[in-house]
mmCIF file of all heavy atoms in Angstrom:
data_model
loop_
_atom_site.group_PDB
_atom_site.id
_atom_site.type_symbol
_atom_site.label_atom_id
_atom_site.label_comp_id
_atom_site.label_asym_id
_atom_site.label_seq_id
_atom_site.Cartn_x
_atom_site.Cartn_y
_atom_site.Cartn_z
ATOM 1 N N PHE A 1 -11.678 3.833 2.662
ATOM 2 C CA PHE A 1 -10.628 2.821 2.627
ATOM 3 C C PHE A 1 -9.876 2.867 1.315
ATOM 4 O O PHE A 1 -8.645 2.780 1.226
ATOM 5 C CB PHE A 1 -11.200 1.432 2.858
ATOM 6 C CG PHE A 1 -10.162 0.357 2.963
ATOM 7 C CD1 PHE A 1 -9.175 0.363 3.922
ATOM 8 C CD2 PHE A 1 -10.125 -0.722 2.096
ATOM 9 C CE1 PHE A 1 -8.207 -0.581 4.011
ATOM 10 C CE2 PHE A 1 -9.221 -1.706 2.150
ATOM 11 C CZ PHE A 1 -8.195 -1.607 3.107
ATOM 12 N N GLU A 2 -10.588 3.011 0.228
ATOM 13 C CA GLU A 2 -9.929 3.101 -1.123
ATOM 14 C C GLU A 2 -9.035 4.307 -1.195
ATOM 15 O O GLU A 2 -7.947 4.244 -1.686
ATOM 16 C CB GLU A 2 -10.983 3.159 -2.262
ATOM 17 C CG GLU A 2 -10.342 3.130 -3.587
ATOM 18 C CD GLU A 2 -11.306 3.010 -4.762
ATOM 19 O OE1 GLU A 2 -12.496 2.885 -4.511
ATOM 20 O OE2 GLU A 2 -10.804 3.052 -5.904
ATOM 21 N N ILE A 3 -9.523 5.421 -0.628
ATOM 22 C CA ILE A 3 -8.728 6.667 -0.640
ATOM 23 C C ILE A 3 -7.431 6.486 0.173
ATOM 24 O O ILE A 3 -6.366 6.842 -0.293
ATOM 25 C CB ILE A 3 -9.579 7.808 -0.107
ATOM 26 C CG1 ILE A 3 -10.674 8.154 -1.065
ATOM 27 C CG2 ILE A 3 -8.703 9.056 0.170
ATOM 28 C CD1 ILE A 3 -11.749 9.055 -0.560
ATOM 29 N N LYS A 4 -7.579 5.823 1.349
ATOM 30 C CA LYS A 4 -6.380 5.568 2.189
ATOM 31 C C LYS A 4 -5.416 4.654 1.464
ATOM 32 O O LYS A 4 -4.206 4.814 1.566
ATOM 33 C CB LYS A 4 -6.805 4.905 3.506
ATOM 34 C CG LYS A 4 -7.406 5.953 4.491
ATOM 35 C CD LYS A 4 -7.778 5.252 5.801
ATOM 36 C CE LYS A 4 -8.397 6.230 6.722
ATOM 37 N NZ LYS A 4 -8.744 5.605 7.995
ATOM 38 N N MET A 5 -5.972 3.657 0.792
ATOM 39 C CA MET A 5 -5.141 2.741 0.065
ATOM 40 C C MET A 5 -4.337 3.397 -1.049
ATOM 41 O O MET A 5 -3.160 3.229 -1.226
ATOM 42 C CB MET A 5 -5.993 1.592 -0.498
ATOM 43 C CG MET A 5 -5.224 0.320 -0.742
ATOM 44 S SD MET A 5 -6.393 -0.965 -1.219
ATOM 45 C CE MET A 5 -6.025 -2.103 0.087
ATOM 46 N N GLN A 6 -5.004 4.271 -1.791
ATOM 47 C CA GLN A 6 -4.337 5.025 -2.851
ATOM 48 C C GLN A 6 -3.238 5.955 -2.295
ATOM 49 O O GLN A 6 -2.171 6.085 -2.840
ATOM 50 C CB GLN A 6 -5.374 5.848 -3.683
ATOM 51 C CG GLN A 6 -6.311 5.035 -4.501
ATOM 52 C CD GLN A 6 -5.652 4.416 -5.741
ATOM 53 O OE1 GLN A 6 -4.482 4.539 -5.990
ATOM 54 N NE2 GLN A 6 -6.473 3.743 -6.514
ATOM 55 N N GLU A 7 -3.521 6.563 -1.163
ATOM 56 C CA GLU A 7 -2.532 7.394 -0.511
ATOM 57 C C GLU A 7 -1.313 6.572 -0.100
ATOM 58 O O GLU A 7 -0.183 6.987 -0.270
ATOM 59 C CB GLU A 7 -3.112 8.081 0.714
ATOM 60 C CG GLU A 7 -4.079 9.146 0.418
ATOM 61 C CD GLU A 7 -4.831 9.683 1.665
ATOM 62 O OE1 GLU A 7 -4.585 9.180 2.815
ATOM 63 O OE2 GLU A 7 -5.660 10.618 1.522
ATOM 64 N N GLU A 8 -1.578 5.411 0.375
ATOM 65 C CA GLU A 8 -0.471 4.530 0.783
ATOM 66 C C GLU A 8 0.320 4.043 -0.450
ATOM 67 O O GLU A 8 1.561 4.000 -0.404
ATOM 68 C CB GLU A 8 -0.983 3.307 1.574
ATOM 69 C CG GLU A 8 0.053 2.394 2.095
ATOM 70 C CD GLU A 8 0.936 3.002 3.175
ATOM 71 O OE1 GLU A 8 0.649 4.131 3.663
ATOM 72 O OE2 GLU A 8 1.936 2.353 3.520
ATOM 73 N N PHE A 9 -0.314 3.797 -1.539
ATOM 74 C CA PHE A 9 0.369 3.393 -2.752
ATOM 75 C C PHE A 9 1.265 4.539 -3.218
ATOM 76 O O PHE A 9 2.403 4.332 -3.696
ATOM 77 C CB PHE A 9 -0.619 3.066 -3.873
ATOM 78 C CG PHE A 9 -1.396 1.768 -3.575
ATOM 79 C CD1 PHE A 9 -2.496 1.450 -4.410
ATOM 80 C CD2 PHE A 9 -1.087 0.925 -2.569
ATOM 81 C CE1 PHE A 9 -3.206 0.312 -4.179
ATOM 82 C CE2 PHE A 9 -1.810 -0.262 -2.354
ATOM 83 C CZ PHE A 9 -2.889 -0.566 -3.140
ATOM 84 N N ARG A 10 0.767 5.766 -3.137
ATOM 85 C CA ARG A 10 1.590 6.919 -3.512
ATOM 86 C C ARG A 10 2.829 7.061 -2.639
ATOM 87 O O ARG A 10 3.946 7.374 -3.044
ATOM 88 C CB ARG A 10 0.791 8.224 -3.492
ATOM 89 C CG ARG A 10 -0.101 8.411 -4.727
ATOM 90 C CD ARG A 10 -0.737 9.761 -4.827
ATOM 91 N NE ARG A 10 -1.726 10.029 -3.793
ATOM 92 C CZ ARG A 10 -2.957 9.626 -3.822
ATOM 93 N NH1 ARG A 10 -3.434 8.998 -4.897
ATOM 94 N NH2 ARG A 10 -3.807 9.902 -2.849
ATOM 95 N N ARG A 11 2.616 6.844 -1.318
ATOM 96 C CA ARG A 11 3.737 6.881 -0.356
ATOM 97 C C ARG A 11 4.781 5.812 -0.746
ATOM 98 O O ARG A 11 6.013 6.093 -0.777
ATOM 99 C CB ARG A 11 3.260 6.624 1.071
ATOM 100 C CG ARG A 11 4.346 6.869 2.100
ATOM 101 C CD ARG A 11 3.865 6.429 3.491
ATOM 102 N NE ARG A 11 3.724 4.995 3.616
ATOM 103 C CZ ARG A 11 4.719 4.142 3.826
ATOM 104 N NH1 ARG A 11 5.941 4.564 3.888
ATOM 105 N NH2 ARG A 11 4.470 2.851 3.921
ATOM 106 N N ILE A 12 4.376 4.602 -1.012
ATOM 107 C CA ILE A 12 5.244 3.496 -1.385
ATOM 108 C C ILE A 12 5.943 3.873 -2.692
ATOM 109 O O ILE A 12 7.175 3.628 -2.853
ATOM 110 C CB ILE A 12 4.474 2.196 -1.459
ATOM 111 C CG1 ILE A 12 4.020 1.777 -0.057
ATOM 112 C CG2 ILE A 12 5.368 1.106 -2.095
ATOM 113 C CD1 ILE A 12 3.117 0.546 -0.034
ATOM 114 N N ARG A 13 5.265 4.443 -3.615
ATOM 115 C CA ARG A 13 5.817 4.798 -4.902
ATOM 116 C C ARG A 13 7.006 5.824 -4.698
ATOM 117 O O ARG A 13 8.008 5.705 -5.329
ATOM 118 C CB ARG A 13 4.758 5.421 -5.808
ATOM 119 C CG ARG A 13 5.262 5.790 -7.183
ATOM 120 C CD ARG A 13 4.127 6.393 -8.063
ATOM 121 N NE ARG A 13 3.221 5.400 -8.481
ATOM 122 C CZ ARG A 13 3.415 4.649 -9.574
ATOM 123 N NH1 ARG A 13 4.467 4.759 -10.267
ATOM 124 N NH2 ARG A 13 2.513 3.750 -9.933
ATOM 125 N N ARG A 14 6.819 6.755 -3.750
ATOM 126 C CA ARG A 14 7.884 7.736 -3.526
ATOM 127 C C ARG A 14 9.066 7.076 -2.865
ATOM 128 O O ARG A 14 10.184 7.441 -3.170
ATOM 129 C CB ARG A 14 7.369 8.851 -2.623
ATOM 130 C CG ARG A 14 6.504 9.871 -3.333
ATOM 131 C CD ARG A 14 6.230 11.095 -2.415
ATOM 132 N NE ARG A 14 5.713 10.791 -1.134
ATOM 133 C CZ ARG A 14 4.387 10.645 -0.851
ATOM 134 N NH1 ARG A 14 3.527 10.843 -1.761
ATOM 135 N NH2 ARG A 14 4.032 10.403 0.395
ATOM 136 N N LEU A 15 8.873 6.113 -2.034
ATOM 137 C CA LEU A 15 9.906 5.474 -1.257
ATOM 138 C C LEU A 15 10.610 4.332 -1.989
ATOM 139 O O LEU A 15 11.759 4.042 -1.729
ATOM 140 C CB LEU A 15 9.392 4.923 0.056
ATOM 141 C CG LEU A 15 8.825 5.919 1.043
ATOM 142 C CD1 LEU A 15 8.232 5.187 2.243
ATOM 143 C CD2 LEU A 15 9.939 6.882 1.523
ATOM 144 N N ASN A 16 9.883 3.677 -2.873
ATOM 145 C CA ASN A 16 10.300 2.425 -3.437
ATOM 146 C C ASN A 16 10.598 2.477 -4.928
ATOM 147 O O ASN A 16 9.835 1.981 -5.683
ATOM 148 C CB ASN A 16 9.207 1.360 -3.101
ATOM 149 C CG ASN A 16 9.787 0.010 -3.157
ATOM 150 O OD1 ASN A 16 10.898 -0.258 -3.596
ATOM 151 N ND2 ASN A 16 8.975 -0.958 -2.656
ATOM 152 N N ARG A 17 11.687 3.024 -5.284
ATOM 153 C CA ARG A 17 12.067 3.029 -6.668
ATOM 154 C C ARG A 17 12.884 1.768 -6.971
ATOM 155 O O ARG A 17 13.842 1.510 -6.228
ATOM 156 C CB ARG A 17 12.961 4.271 -6.999
ATOM 157 C CG ARG A 17 12.174 5.536 -7.019
ATOM 158 C CD ARG A 17 11.371 5.631 -8.253
ATOM 159 N NE ARG A 17 10.500 6.728 -8.221
ATOM 160 C CZ ARG A 17 9.549 6.944 -9.156
ATOM 161 N NH1 ARG A 17 9.391 6.090 -10.109
ATOM 162 N NH2 ARG A 17 8.822 7.999 -9.072
ATOM 163 N N GLY A 18 12.476 1.051 -7.966
ATOM 164 C CA GLY A 18 13.266 -0.130 -8.329
ATOM 165 C C GLY A 18 12.526 -1.410 -8.037
ATOM 166 O O GLY A 18 11.282 -1.466 -8.104
ATOM 167 N N THR A 19 13.271 -2.452 -7.789
ATOM 168 C CA THR A 19 12.732 -3.779 -7.645
ATOM 169 C C THR A 19 11.812 -3.945 -6.436
ATOM 170 O O THR A 19 11.917 -3.168 -5.478
ATOM 171 C CB THR A 19 13.828 -4.826 -7.567
ATOM 172 O OG1 THR A 19 14.613 -4.555 -6.414
ATOM 173 C CG2 THR A 19 14.744 -4.819 -8.797
ATOM 174 N N GLN A 20 11.019 -4.924 -6.474
ATOM 175 C CA GLN A 20 10.111 -5.316 -5.397
ATOM 176 C C GLN A 20 9.007 -4.280 -5.158
ATOM 177 O O GLN A 20 8.337 -4.308 -4.086
ATOM 178 C CB GLN A 20 10.890 -5.590 -4.104
ATOM 179 C CG GLN A 20 11.916 -6.721 -4.279
ATOM 180 C CD GLN A 20 11.410 -8.011 -4.788
ATOM 181 O OE1 GLN A 20 10.411 -8.485 -4.315
ATOM 182 N NE2 GLN A 20 12.088 -8.597 -5.751
ATOM 183 N N PHE A 21 8.743 -3.389 -6.060
ATOM 184 C CA PHE A 21 7.660 -2.393 -5.920
ATOM 185 C C PHE A 21 6.314 -3.110 -5.837
ATOM 186 O O PHE A 21 5.523 -2.779 -4.906
ATOM 187 C CB PHE A 21 7.707 -1.422 -7.070
ATOM 188 C CG PHE A 21 6.512 -0.477 -7.082
ATOM 189 C CD1 PHE A 21 6.425 0.547 -6.200
ATOM 190 C CD2 PHE A 21 5.547 -0.632 -8.072
ATOM 191 C CE1 PHE A 21 5.365 1.370 -6.244
ATOM 192 C CE2 PHE A 21 4.456 0.191 -8.078
ATOM 193 C CZ PHE A 21 4.351 1.239 -7.215
ATOM 194 N N ILE A 22 6.037 -3.991 -6.735
ATOM 195 C CA ILE A 22 4.763 -4.676 -6.778
ATOM 196 C C ILE A 22 4.572 -5.451 -5.505
ATOM 197 O O ILE A 22 3.496 -5.420 -4.881
ATOM 198 C CB ILE A 22 4.656 -5.613 -8.003
ATOM 199 C CG1 ILE A 22 4.914 -4.843 -9.273
ATOM 200 C CG2 ILE A 22 3.257 -6.282 -8.030
ATOM 201 C CD1 ILE A 22 3.953 -3.743 -9.600
ATOM 202 N N LEU A 23 5.546 -6.162 -5.044
ATOM 203 C CA LEU A 23 5.502 -6.918 -3.838
ATOM 204 C C LEU A 23 5.187 -6.082 -2.642
ATOM 205 O O LEU A 23 4.369 -6.410 -1.808
ATOM 206 C CB LEU A 23 6.790 -7.727 -3.655
ATOM 207 C CG LEU A 23 6.875 -8.705 -2.512
ATOM 208 C CD1 LEU A 23 5.830 -9.806 -2.690
ATOM 209 C CD2 LEU A 23 8.218 -9.343 -2.415
ATOM 210 N N SER A 24 5.846 -4.884 -2.599
ATOM 211 C CA SER A 24 5.538 -3.942 -1.481
ATOM 212 C C SER A 24 4.112 -3.468 -1.514
ATOM 213 O O SER A 24 3.408 -3.408 -0.486
ATOM 214 C CB SER A 24 6.469 -2.700 -1.582
ATOM 215 O OG SER A 24 7.779 -3.113 -1.469
ATOM 216 N N ILE A 25 3.580 -3.195 -2.669
ATOM 217 C CA ILE A 25 2.176 -2.750 -2.790
ATOM 218 C C ILE A 25 1.224 -3.829 -2.361
ATOM 219 O O ILE A 25 0.239 -3.590 -1.614
ATOM 220 C CB ILE A 25 1.894 -2.297 -4.209
ATOM 221 C CG1 ILE A 25 2.650 -1.009 -4.607
ATOM 222 C CG2 ILE A 25 0.383 -2.114 -4.479
ATOM 223 C CD1 ILE A 25 2.202 0.242 -3.942
ATOM 224 N N VAL A 26 1.380 -5.069 -2.893
ATOM 225 C CA VAL A 26 0.518 -6.147 -2.633
ATOM 226 C C VAL A 26 0.499 -6.549 -1.157
ATOM 227 O O VAL A 26 -0.571 -6.703 -0.547
ATOM 228 C CB VAL A 26 0.839 -7.366 -3.477
ATOM 229 C CG1 VAL A 26 0.131 -8.650 -3.056
ATOM 230 C CG2 VAL A 26 0.642 -7.080 -4.984
ATOM 231 N N THR A 27 1.633 -6.606 -0.550
ATOM 232 C CA THR A 27 1.687 -7.026 0.872
ATOM 233 C C THR A 27 1.097 -5.903 1.761
ATOM 234 O O THR A 27 0.459 -6.190 2.759
ATOM 235 C CB THR A 27 3.093 -7.387 1.353
ATOM 236 O OG1 THR A 27 4.023 -6.304 1.051
ATOM 237 C CG2 THR A 27 3.569 -8.662 0.671
ATOM 238 N N ARG A 28 1.327 -4.661 1.413
ATOM 239 C CA ARG A 28 0.818 -3.538 2.192
ATOM 240 C C ARG A 28 -0.746 -3.479 2.048
ATOM 241 O O ARG A 28 -1.474 -3.253 3.022
ATOM 242 C CB ARG A 28 1.406 -2.241 1.745
ATOM 243 C CG ARG A 28 0.945 -1.059 2.551
ATOM 244 C CD ARG A 28 1.355 -1.177 4.042
ATOM 245 N NE ARG A 28 0.813 -0.028 4.768
ATOM 246 C CZ ARG A 28 0.002 -0.183 5.870
ATOM 247 N NH1 ARG A 28 -0.157 -1.374 6.414
ATOM 248 N NH2 ARG A 28 -0.449 0.846 6.433
ATOM 249 N N ALA A 29 -1.269 -3.764 0.832
ATOM 250 C CA ALA A 29 -2.727 -3.799 0.649
ATOM 251 C C ALA A 29 -3.316 -4.831 1.530
ATOM 252 O O ALA A 29 -4.368 -4.612 2.125
ATOM 253 C CB ALA A 29 -3.009 -4.048 -0.859
ATOM 254 N N LYS A 30 -2.727 -6.017 1.588
ATOM 255 C CA LYS A 30 -3.264 -7.098 2.421
ATOM 256 C C LYS A 30 -3.231 -6.724 3.902
ATOM 257 O O LYS A 30 -4.196 -6.886 4.614
ATOM 258 C CB LYS A 30 -2.483 -8.402 2.229
ATOM 259 C CG LYS A 30 -2.981 -9.513 3.169
ATOM 260 C CD LYS A 30 -2.739 -10.859 2.627
ATOM 261 C CE LYS A 30 -3.166 -11.991 3.489
ATOM 262 N NZ LYS A 30 -4.278 -11.768 4.320
ATOM 263 N N ASP A 31 -2.110 -6.116 4.366
ATOM 264 C CA ASP A 31 -2.047 -5.658 5.754
ATOM 265 C C ASP A 31 -3.125 -4.589 6.043
ATOM 266 O O ASP A 31 -3.781 -4.667 7.071
ATOM 267 C CB ASP A 31 -0.699 -5.005 6.035
ATOM 268 C CG ASP A 31 0.448 -5.991 6.044
ATOM 269 O OD1 ASP A 31 0.199 -7.211 6.177
ATOM 270 O OD2 ASP A 31 1.620 -5.549 5.911
ATOM 271 N N MET A 32 -3.346 -3.705 5.135
ATOM 272 C CA MET A 32 -4.373 -2.679 5.312
ATOM 273 C C MET A 32 -5.776 -3.303 5.371
ATOM 274 O O MET A 32 -6.586 -2.879 6.215
ATOM 275 C CB MET A 32 -4.318 -1.666 4.210
ATOM 276 C CG MET A 32 -3.105 -0.747 4.324
ATOM 277 S SD MET A 32 -3.043 0.443 2.950
ATOM 278 C CE MET A 32 -4.338 1.588 3.500
ATOM 279 N N MET A 33 -6.028 -4.325 4.545
ATOM 280 C CA MET A 33 -7.299 -5.023 4.569
ATOM 281 C C MET A 33 -7.546 -5.705 5.888
ATOM 282 O O MET A 33 -8.599 -5.627 6.493
ATOM 283 C CB MET A 33 -7.429 -6.052 3.426
ATOM 284 C CG MET A 33 -7.598 -5.345 2.102
ATOM 285 S SD MET A 33 -7.707 -6.614 0.805
ATOM 286 C CE MET A 33 -7.560 -5.598 -0.632
ATOM 287 N N ASP A 34 -6.494 -6.370 6.409
ATOM 288 C CA ASP A 34 -6.624 -7.065 7.687
ATOM 289 C C ASP A 34 -6.818 -6.082 8.858
ATOM 290 O O ASP A 34 -7.604 -6.333 9.738
ATOM 291 C CB ASP A 34 -5.381 -7.946 7.957
ATOM 292 C CG ASP A 34 -5.330 -9.205 7.105
ATOM 293 O OD1 ASP A 34 -6.394 -9.582 6.556
ATOM 294 O OD2 ASP A 34 -4.236 -9.782 6.919
ATOM 295 N N GLN A 35 -6.209 -4.938 8.740
ATOM 296 C CA GLN A 35 -6.420 -3.895 9.755
ATOM 297 C C GLN A 35 -7.849 -3.381 9.702
ATOM 298 O O GLN A 35 -8.475 -3.149 10.720
ATOM 299 C CB GLN A 35 -5.435 -2.713 9.570
ATOM 300 C CG GLN A 35 -4.009 -3.037 9.945
ATOM 301 C CD GLN A 35 -3.061 -1.964 9.594
ATOM 302 O OE1 GLN A 35 -3.407 -0.922 9.042
ATOM 303 N NE2 GLN A 35 -1.740 -2.185 9.769
ATOM 304 N N MET A 36 -8.332 -3.157 8.483
ATOM 305 C CA MET A 36 -9.729 -2.661 8.323
ATOM 306 C C MET A 36 -10.721 -3.690 8.856
ATOM 307 O O MET A 36 -11.710 -3.341 9.504
ATOM 308 C CB MET A 36 -10.006 -2.382 6.872
ATOM 309 C CG MET A 36 -11.435 -1.832 6.648
ATOM 310 S SD MET A 36 -11.904 -0.388 7.562
ATOM 311 C CE MET A 36 -10.904 0.880 6.777
ATOM 312 N N VAL A 37 -10.492 -5.010 8.603
ATOM 313 C CA VAL A 37 -11.401 -6.021 9.148
ATOM 314 C C VAL A 37 -11.412 -5.965 10.660
ATOM 315 O O VAL A 37 -12.458 -6.041 11.270
ATOM 316 C CB VAL A 37 -10.998 -7.403 8.598
ATOM 317 C CG1 VAL A 37 -11.673 -8.519 9.372
ATOM 318 C CG2 VAL A 37 -11.333 -7.525 7.139
ATOM 319 N N ARG A 38 -10.201 -5.872 11.233
ATOM 320 C CA ARG A 38 -10.139 -5.801 12.741
ATOM 321 C C ARG A 38 -10.934 -4.562 13.255
ATOM 322 O O ARG A 38 -11.616 -4.667 14.228
ATOM 323 C CB ARG A 38 -8.674 -5.792 13.189
ATOM 324 C CG ARG A 38 -8.005 -7.169 13.107
ATOM 325 C CD ARG A 38 -6.708 -7.178 13.771
ATOM 326 N NE ARG A 38 -5.713 -6.233 13.269
ATOM 327 C CZ ARG A 38 -4.883 -6.601 12.219
ATOM 328 N NH1 ARG A 38 -4.954 -7.810 11.681
ATOM 329 N NH2 ARG A 38 -3.984 -5.719 11.808
#
C-alpha cells in the first residue's frame, strides 16, 4: 500500500504543477485509504 501510495504521489506530481498540489495529495491519500479498507 505504501508503494502504491508513493507511485500515486509521483503521478500527481507529474500532472499537478502549481497550486493545490498538497490538497490533491491529501485527498487522494484519503481516497486510497478508504479503498484499501473496503
Side-chain angles (χ1 to χ4, degrees):
F1 184 61
E2 182 174 358
I3 292 167
K4 285 182 183 181
M5 202 174 241
Q6 291 287 2
E7 288 171 359
E8 185 66 9
F9 292 170
R10 281 191 290 278
R11 186 187 72 79
I12 291 170
R13 182 179 286 278
R14 284 191 305 272
L15 296 175
N16 201 348
R17 289 283 173 190
T19 63
Q20 304 303 314
F21 170 74
I22 306 297
L23 187 60
S24 297
I25 292 288
V26 169
T27 55
R28 184 63 184 127
K30 177 153 178 35
D31 289 344
M32 289 179 74
M33 287 180 192
D34 287 341
Q35 288 172 4
M36 180 57 72
V37 166
R38 285 191 296 274

